Amino acid sequence: MDSNSTYPFVNYTPVQFSEEETLERSREFYRYMNRRRTVREFSDKPVPKEVIENLIMTASTAPSGAHKQPWTFCVVSDPALKKQIREAAEKEEYESYHHRMSEEWLKDLAPLGTDWHKPFLEIAPWLIVVFKRAYELDAEGNKHKCYYVNESVGLACGFLLAAIHNAGLVSLTHTPSPMNFLQKILERPENERPFLLIPVGYPAEAVKVPDLKRKKLEEIAAFYW
Ligand code: IYR
């Protein structure tokens, strides 16, 4: 592919490091990212709105199918709305934990210490509700296709979690199921489907996390070289 007169390309100045710097930066970034943990107990300490705006703009630098950026980040701090979201989530989660999840699933979750109570949905200063756009709707109501929507929005959420960690904040990738209540409460248009619910803030004091270990390189990678 090359530029043409209809769609001209522009110069790109890539970041450049020496091999030594590349090695050091890759090590440092891994070390830093390896300190990220999902946290389920939040402090109610406020986080400035501009921080959240920057995190979202970082998420939106993720690549996406045909550069459609098929995501909407709904940001909630209004206490009444957070309460409504908590109540709706807990209703679904109660059903899931008591009737919908299999024995095997509950057993797999046991080490994480989760249950149907979701107080963090009211305590965390911000909830970022990520919606995927199944298609785009223009001002005239015409539908336009989006591509690789799950992959694209998953990538943006990965960028978002990394940005949150980089800012010294914590997050929880929460997936109440089913989560169509979010579309209703936030009055989203019909092309948007809830994807992830991410409380963001500072961790509660002396927070504890499960004693999880990450897989070793040999368990997750195969090199053909
Ligand atoms: N959505 C539920 C259950 C849950 C499921 C998985 I898979 C997890 O990794 C964690 C929780 C909840 O949020 O509690």
Side-chain angles (χ1 to χ4, degrees), residues 215-223:
K215 287 180 178 172
K216 294 187 181 66
L217 182 64
E218 309 81 73
E219 298 173 276
I220 58 162
F223 287 84

mmCIF file of all heavy atoms in Angstrom, residues 215-223:
data_model
loop_
_atom_site.group_PDB
_atom_site.id
_atom_site.type_symbol
_atom_site.label_atom_id
_atom_site.label_comp_id
_atom_site.label_asym_id
_atom_site.label_seq_id
_atom_site.Cartn_x
_atom_site.Cartn_y
_atom_site.Cartn_z
ATOM 1 N N LYS A 215 1.852 -16.944 34.561
ATOM 2 C CA LYS A 215 2.525 -18.030 33.840
ATOM 3 C C LYS A 215 3.935 -17.615 33.436
ATOM 4 O O LYS A 215 4.197 -16.441 33.149
ATOM 5 C CB LYS A 215 1.726 -18.409 32.590
ATOM 6 C CG LYS A 215 0.446 -19.169 32.907
ATOM 7 C CD LYS A 215 -0.316 -19.523 31.644
ATOM 8 C CE LYS A 215 -1.568 -20.317 31.978
ATOM 9 N NZ LYS A 215 -2.440 -20.531 30.809
ATOM 10 N N LYS A 216 4.828 -18.594 33.363
ATOM 11 C CA LYS A 216 6.214 -18.342 32.933
ATOM 12 C C LYS A 216 6.263 -18.211 31.414
ATOM 13 O O LYS A 216 5.372 -18.705 30.710
ATOM 14 C CB LYS A 216 7.104 -19.521 33.342
ATOM 15 C CG LYS A 216 7.275 -19.720 34.820
ATOM 16 C CD LYS A 216 8.329 -20.821 35.043
ATOM 17 C CE LYS A 216 8.552 -21.097 36.506
ATOM 18 N NZ LYS A 216 7.361 -21.673 37.162
ATOM 19 N N LEU A 217 7.327 -17.604 30.917
ATOM 20 C CA LEU A 217 7.478 -17.403 29.473
ATOM 21 C C LEU A 217 7.304 -18.715 28.705
ATOM 22 O O LEU A 217 6.597 -18.762 27.688
ATOM 23 C CB LEU A 217 8.865 -16.791 29.171
ATOM 24 C CG LEU A 217 9.139 -16.477 27.706
ATOM 25 C CD1 LEU A 217 8.192 -15.400 27.167
ATOM 26 C CD2 LEU A 217 10.588 -16.023 27.510
ATOM 27 N N GLU A 218 7.914 -19.805 29.204
ATOM 28 C CA GLU A 218 7.834 -21.103 28.513
ATOM 29 C C GLU A 218 6.399 -21.613 28.408
ATOM 30 O O GLU A 218 6.086 -22.421 27.542
ATOM 31 C CB GLU A 218 8.665 -22.178 29.233
ATOM 32 C CG GLU A 218 10.099 -21.803 29.543
ATOM 33 C CD GLU A 218 10.229 -20.957 30.794
ATOM 34 O OE1 GLU A 218 10.076 -21.494 31.904
ATOM 35 O OE2 GLU A 218 10.469 -19.740 30.642
ATOM 36 N N GLU A 219 5.546 -21.163 29.315
ATOM 37 C CA GLU A 219 4.159 -21.644 29.308
ATOM 38 C C GLU A 219 3.263 -20.856 28.363
ATOM 39 O O GLU A 219 2.167 -21.298 28.024
ATOM 40 C CB GLU A 219 3.569 -21.555 30.717
ATOM 41 C CG GLU A 219 4.271 -22.415 31.746
ATOM 42 C CD GLU A 219 3.726 -22.141 33.136
ATOM 43 O OE1 GLU A 219 4.192 -21.172 33.775
ATOM 44 O OE2 GLU A 219 2.828 -22.878 33.574
ATOM 45 N N ILE A 220 3.721 -19.677 27.978
ATOM 46 C CA ILE A 220 2.834 -18.809 27.180
ATOM 47 C C ILE A 220 3.394 -18.487 25.803
ATOM 48 O O ILE A 220 2.724 -17.855 24.996
ATOM 49 C CB ILE A 220 2.566 -17.470 27.906
ATOM 50 C CG1 ILE A 220 3.881 -16.726 28.197
ATOM 51 C CG2 ILE A 220 1.766 -17.684 29.176
ATOM 52 C CD1 ILE A 220 3.707 -15.263 28.507
ATOM 53 N N ALA A 221 4.648 -18.886 25.534
ATOM 54 C CA ALA A 221 5.250 -18.505 24.257
ATOM 55 C C ALA A 221 5.947 -19.707 23.622
ATOM 56 O O ALA A 221 6.437 -20.586 24.320
ATOM 57 C CB ALA A 221 6.260 -17.376 24.471
ATOM 58 N N ALA A 222 5.947 -19.718 22.311
ATOM 59 C CA ALA A 222 6.727 -20.699 21.546
ATOM 60 C C ALA A 222 7.547 -19.927 20.524
ATOM 61 O O ALA A 222 6.980 -19.149 19.751
ATOM 62 C CB ALA A 222 5.797 -21.676 20.865
ATOM 63 N N PHE A 223 8.834 -20.087 20.555
ATOM 64 C CA PHE A 223 9.714 -19.351 19.627
ATOM 65 C C PHE A 223 10.127 -20.268 18.482
ATOM 66 O O PHE A 223 10.582 -21.375 18.708
ATOM 67 C CB PHE A 223 10.963 -18.850 20.361
ATOM 68 C CG PHE A 223 10.687 -17.688 21.278
ATOM 69 C CD1 PHE A 223 10.222 -17.885 22.559
ATOM 70 C CD2 PHE A 223 10.882 -16.379 20.838
ATOM 71 C CE1 PHE A 223 9.950 -16.825 23.403
ATOM 72 C CE2 PHE A 223 10.619 -15.301 21.671
ATOM 73 C CZ PHE A 223 10.155 -15.524 22.958
#
